[in-house]
């Protein structure tokens, strides 16, 4: 058991360094945000120091991940479905909110600050998508439309139309997305108004 704990703790350093570099954050900035000294952060990332819970909590909060995913804790025999956040190579985080076979799936997306001149990588697939912006500005390229959505705004579209989501240079964006199979829609009724 102790050997398994040692192995788990030994993998935390490289994981912390990977998260920081992927987000393009300096040790100094991370120290300012978490209250952990730069020398301690450096030793943690290099594996020269084992992390304590008091250090892991602010780091997990800053990166927007769970403690379990930060330390890559082994799964337990709990029958509940594990809805761990998934970190992507571009710095975005996808948090599954449902996990059931078929039907509409719900996700929360957290996208890092983007570039306004980013070239859209349009994708299309069967189904429907509904998105609701929680915080920030979401850029949606849908076919030949390029739309900026603010907090509180929602969109729904057929995903066979080429589309792409991104944050703007104004900062990160958080949004909810309901994705349905072909022919399955998440109908949301709102009052219509002109902008």
């Amino acid at each position: 058991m102790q050997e398994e704990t040692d192995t788990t703790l030994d993998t935390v350093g490289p994981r912390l360094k990977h998260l920081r570099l992927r987000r393009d954050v300096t040790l100094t900035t991370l120290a300012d945000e978490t209250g952990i000294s730069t020398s301690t952060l450096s030793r943690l990332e290099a594996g020269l120091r084992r992390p304590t819970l008091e250090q892991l909590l602010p780091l997990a909060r800053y990166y927007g991940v769970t403690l379990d995913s930060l330390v890559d804790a082994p799964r337990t025999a709990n029958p509940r479905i594990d809805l761990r956040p998934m970190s992507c190579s571009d710095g975005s985080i996808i948090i599954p909110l449902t996990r059931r076979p078929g039907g509409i799936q719900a996700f929360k997306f957290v996208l890092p600050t983007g570039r306004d001149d980013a070239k859209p990588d349009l994708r299309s697939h069967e189904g429907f998508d509904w998105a609701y912006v929680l915080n920030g500005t979401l850029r949606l390229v849908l076919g030949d439309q390029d739309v900026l959505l603010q907090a509180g705004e929602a969109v729904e579209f057929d995903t066979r139309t080429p589309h792409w989501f991104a944050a703007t240079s104004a900062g990160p964006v958080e949004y909810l997305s309901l994705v349905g199979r072909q022919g399955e829609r998440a109908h949301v009724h709102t009052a219509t108004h002109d902008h």
Side-chain angles (χ1 to χ4, degrees), residues 10-188:
D10 288 343
T11 64
V12 174
R15 194 169 290 108
L16 289 172
K17 186 169 187 174
H18 176 74
L19 281 168
R20 182 177 62 80
L21 293 177
R22 193 176 63 213
R23 303 243 171 113
D24 197 24
V25 175
T26 66
L27 283 172
T28 305
T29 300
L30 186 58
D32 291 343
E33 294 289 329
T34 62
I36 303 169
S37 73
T38 54
S39 61
T40 298
L41 289 169
S42 178
R43 291 198 314 272
L44 286 172
E45 287 185 1
L48 301 175
R49 180 174 180 166
R50 289 248 170 104
T52 65
L53 186 58
E54 289 78 17
Q55 294 163 336
L56 289 174
L57 284 171
L59 289 167
R61 217 175 287 122
Y62 178 78
Y63 289 125
V65 298
T66 63
L67 281 175
D68 281 355
S69 66
L70 195 58
V71 299
D72 196 25
R75 293 176 187 251
T76 63
N78 188 330
R80 291 181 182 91
I81 292 172
D82 185 1
L83 298 176
R84 291 184 188 198
M86 298 173 280
S87 297
C88 303
S89 60
D90 64 357
S92 61
I93 298 170
I94 304 170
I95 304 161
L97 301 176
T98 58
R99 187 70 54 91
R100 60 191 170 112
I104 293 174
Q105 303 294 318
F107 300 91
K108 178 180 177 183
F109 287 82
V110 182
L111 306 182
T113 302
R115 291 180 35 205
D116 295 332
D117 62 350
K119 184 174 178 356
D121 180 16
L122 298 173
R123 303 286 172 100
S124 61
H125 50 88
E126 294 291 332
F128 287 88
D129 195 342
W130 174 88
Y132 176 82
V133 182
L134 297 167
N135 291 301
T137 301
L138 178 65
R139 181 178 175 203
L140 167 63
V141 176
L142 180 62
D144 59 359
Q145 299 177 66
D146 196 335
V147 182
L148 296 179
L149 301 164
Q150 304 302 320
E153 292 188 299
V155 292
E156 182 181 39
F157 59 92
D158 184 325
T159 55
R160 289 175 295 188
T161 303
H163 58 280
W164 176 76
F165 292 103
T168 66
S169 62
V173 65
E174 296 179 43
Y175 69 97
L176 297 177
S177 180
L178 300 178
V179 181
R181 295 177 306 180
Q182 182 179 6
E184 194 164 17
R185 294 183 149 208
H187 289 289
V188 179

